Amino acid sequence: MIDPRRLRILRAAADHRTVTAAAAALYLTPSAVSQQLAALEQETGHTLLTRSGRGVRLTPAGEILLEHANEVLAQLERAEAELAAYADGTAGEVAVAAFATGIAEVLAPAIGRLAHERPGIRLRVRDAEGDESLPLVLDGEADLALAVEYRGAPRDGDRRLVRVPLYAEPFDAVLHAGHPLAQSPEVALAALASSDWIGQSPGNPCHDMVLLACELAGFEPRLVHASDDFRAVVALAGAGAGVALVPRSALRGIELKDVVVRPVAGPAAFRRVFAAVRRGAEDHPLIRPVLDALARAAAGLSADGPTA
């Protein structure tokens, strides 16, 4: 009989690609993870992992078992959801990992709505960049993620997660008020090819979006400055340090001193935002109301761009 707890450890090893990282995500010691994986191999009679440099990778047998593990773990999530529904499920805590703008634009309004409609549901919010929240959900450190599309993100068909599209918003060009294109009604990215650029740190999903948008416009931006704080990005643009692309909602509430904001002419970069939960948990009586509240809060942002 295969121990389902060991299946969770196998999935963590597959996700994190090292025993040490998997152990940290599961709050276990590397020794305990290695012992549990070895026991799982004895249970199945197959070698499931092989060493690859400093990391590990699944064998073909491990890949087969991982597919079944995803189904088993999803079914356990469904069982917990049904049991919670049986016990009424009107009160409890939902841990949410979300990026800062998503917290301000969608999550905070949803919390306000839930306080009136479902006062028994308490949300515990953790600020996490758009590419950090999904691993937190998969590792069980969060129940729900508010995330953005990014290179390497789990796709729609990923059997570990259920995704709920929320909204899409364009990136606008932020220029110094004295820039030669400041009076233009819209800005073509190619016209900014010779400018210094202000971007986000590598690894930030917005960093990838800026690079991709400029690549499609036929150039590689000269990224001179980097900040993950959009207030700092706008301040640098206002000081004449460079130009930037910023998601439209991130500009709300920022003092636009000495800068102008212009839409991008032609094909523009979009940030697509979605909520995600572990597959099987989407109808949990505590999680479903949160997903619904997020969707209603996001509906008011539809004017910022095409629906997700």
Side-chain angles (χ1 to χ4, degrees):
M1 179 69 70
I2 296 175
D3 188 334
R5 293 172 297 181
R6 291 170 182 153
L7 295 179
R8 194 178 300 278
I9 293 174
L10 177 70
R11 187 162 79 178
D15 287 342
H16 295 280
R17 300 185 185 280
T18 71
V19 169
T20 301
L26 297 171
Y27 297 98
L28 298 172
T29 65
S31 175
V33 168
S34 295
Q35 291 173 6
Q36 291 298 315
L37 290 172
L40 184 58
E41 289 182 327
Q42 289 183 344
E43 288 175 344
T44 60
H46 293 278
T47 299
L48 303 174
L49 293 163
T50 60
R51 292 284 178 182
S52 178
R54 295 183 177 181
V56 293
R57 60 181 177 83
L58 293 179
T59 65
E63 294 283 358
I64 292 172
L65 185 58
L66 180 62
E67 286 294 310
H68 290 284
N70 289 331
E71 291 297 322
V72 169
L73 295 174
Q75 189 60 42
L76 289 175
E77 293 280 357
R78 293 187 189 99
E80 290 183 5
E82 291 187 17
L83 287 171
Y86 178 77
D88 195 12
T90 58
E93 182 178 86
V94 178
V96 182
F99 60 102
T101 307
I103 293 172
E105 295 294 324
V106 178
L107 186 54
I111 290 174
R113 187 187 300 273
L114 287 167
H116 292 286
E117 298 177 356
R118 297 293 301 271
I121 298 178
R122 303 182 308 277
L123 268 64
R124 176 165 51 87
V125 180
R126 174 171 176 174
D127 191 333
E129 287 295 339
D131 58 336
E132 296 175 346
S133 55
L134 295 179
L136 291 174
V137 168
L138 289 172
D139 290 338
E141 295 187 51
D143 301 307
L144 187 151
L146 192 61
V148 300
E149 291 284 5
Y150 61 92
R151 187 179 303 171
R155 311 313 300 169
D156 278 333
D158 192 295
R159 298 172 70 180
R160 300 169 297 172
L161 295 168
V162 169
R163 297 174 18 149
V164 178
L166 294 177
Y167 66 94
E169 60 175 336
F171 283 67
D172 288 327
V174 180
L175 314 174
H176 183 265
H179 192 280
L181 296 176
Q183 302 307 313
S184 302
E186 56 184 15
V187 175
L189 288 185
L192 302 175
S194 62
S195 300
D196 288 343
W197 279 72
I198 309 157
Q200 285 68 55
S201 305
N204 186 309
C206 290
H207 175 85
D208 288 343
M209 291 303 304
V210 170
L211 291 182
L212 178 59
C214 293
E215 179 183 333
L216 293 175
F219 70 98
E220 181 179 350
R222 186 168 61 248
L223 290 168
V224 177
H225 311 285
S227 175
D228 293 330
D229 185 332
F230 290 119
R231 292 182 184 275
V233 170
V234 170
L236 287 169
V243 301
L245 287 179
V246 177
R248 185 166 293 173
S249 67
L251 293 168
R252 294 196 184 102
I254 295 180
E255 182 182 3
L256 302 177
K257 183 179 180 181
D258 298 325
V259 301
V260 295
V261 178
R262 295 291 181 262
V264 174
F270 278 85
R271 178 163 74 169
R272 302 189 183 277
V273 180
F274 60 93
V277 299
R278 291 183 294 277
R279 186 171 295 277
E282 63 272 19
D283 290 322
H284 191 288
L286 295 178
I287 292 177
R288 172 50 60 186
V290 179
L291 290 173
D292 292 342
L294 288 172
R296 283 183 286 170
L301 299 176
S302 60
D304 284 328
T307 57

